[in-house]
Amino acid sequence: FSDIHGDAKCLKNVLDFQNHYSDWIADIIHTGDMVTTEYSDGIAFWNNTAGAERILNCIGNHDTRANNTWIGKTMDESYTTYFAPFINNWGVTYTANKTYYYKDYPDNHVRLIVLDIMHQTSEQLSWFTSTLNSARSGGLHVIVACHSRAHWLFDSLSTPWDDKIVVPGYAAGYSDSSGGSYPENMSNSYANAVDSFISAGGEFICWIHGHTHFKMAAKLHD
């Protein structure tokens, strides 16, 4: 699930769903935008909801918005707020003060890799490439999660939930008066790294993301 934007009732519903189907669900992940509008909104609702500490998370554009600037918080600050209080409950492989990580599910031969779209450093890209390579050598199939889509070049797929708007009144292309831009998608370097992974024999499952406030499935152009 994604873009919860401070909705405590929604968070409880997600956790109730997880608890009801716990025999079939290993983990749930929130793909960014935890806060209502910006960093200063805080995350009290998350802290006050039992079970939320187990939810895997990643960084969204509203999570770093501060001082009227979209990337108003550094990676270190984002880690301190959104990761540090919870990450020891996630069972992931991570580095302190870095807002990207991975988690292996050996019984299913799957590796989940989580990226930070708001702080696309050369260090993160190098880590991503290395993490893909080690997944391939270990025979793990890969899922990659980030807040926004992996690439603009995609073909929509027909699904049972086509054209269902999750947030009433939301329209694609929404913007506000905040100064400073933010990345709408991951750098092509990340998609290229996945292409190289596949070309070398790696098994790639999919990208998962949020941000659009729409339920959508798509296929990247060949």
Side-chain angles (χ1 to χ4, degrees), residues 60-81:
N61 56 297
H62 283 274
D63 300 326
T64 62
R65 180 183 169 192
N67 302 319
N68 210 38
T69 302
W70 281 110
I71 312 180
K73 292 296 178 179
T74 65
M75 182 179 287
D76 283 356
E77 290 171 314
S78 298
Y79 177 90
T80 297
T81 299

Side-chain angles (χ1 to χ4, degrees), residues 32-108:
D33 280 0
M34 179 192 291
V35 299
T36 306
T37 304
E38 63 179 34
Y39 184 90
S40 61
D41 291 342
I43 56 171
F45 79 105
W46 199 273
N47 293 326
N48 294 334
T49 303
E53 70 280 357
R54 301 191 308 269
I55 297 173
L56 279 60
N57 201 15
C58 74
I59 301 299
N61 56 297
H62 283 274
D63 300 326
T64 62
R65 180 183 169 192
N67 302 319
N68 210 38
T69 302
W70 281 110
I71 312 180
K73 292 296 178 179
T74 65
M75 182 179 287
D76 283 356
E77 290 171 314
S78 298
Y79 177 90
T80 297
T81 299
Y82 301 106
F83 283 26
F86 315 111
I87 199 165
N88 286 334
N89 300 303
W90 298 351
V92 302
T93 300
Y94 70 99
T95 301
N97 302 314
K98 304 299 180 185
T99 45
Y100 45 84
Y101 57 88
Y102 71 86
K103 183 168 185 176
D104 291 343
Y105 302 86
D107 292 345
N108 305 101

Side-chain angles (χ1 to χ4, degrees), residues 98-180:
K98 304 299 180 185
T99 45
Y100 45 84
Y101 57 88
Y102 71 86
K103 183 168 185 176
D104 291 343
Y105 302 86
D107 292 345
N108 305 101
H109 308 288
V110 168
R111 171 169 290 179
L112 171 66
I113 303 174
V114 178
L115 300 173
D116 180 353
I117 193 173
M118 300 305 290
H119 306 102
Q120 295 187 45
T121 63
S122 58
E123 183 180 24
Q124 179 179 220
L125 179 59
S126 177
W127 172 89
F128 182 54
T129 302
S130 175
T131 303
L132 286 171
N133 289 339
S134 65
R136 178 174 55 82
S137 63
L140 298 172
H141 300 200
V142 169
I143 298 170
V144 181
C146 56
H147 179 60
S148 191
R149 62 189 60 165
H151 203 287
W152 280 118
L153 300 177
F154 64 89
D155 298 308
S156 293
L157 301 176
S158 178
T159 70
W161 56 80
D162 282 350
D163 302 320
K164 299 297 183 184
I165 299 177
V166 180
V167 179
Y170 180 89
Y174 166 86
S175 63
D176 65 16
S177 60
S178 294

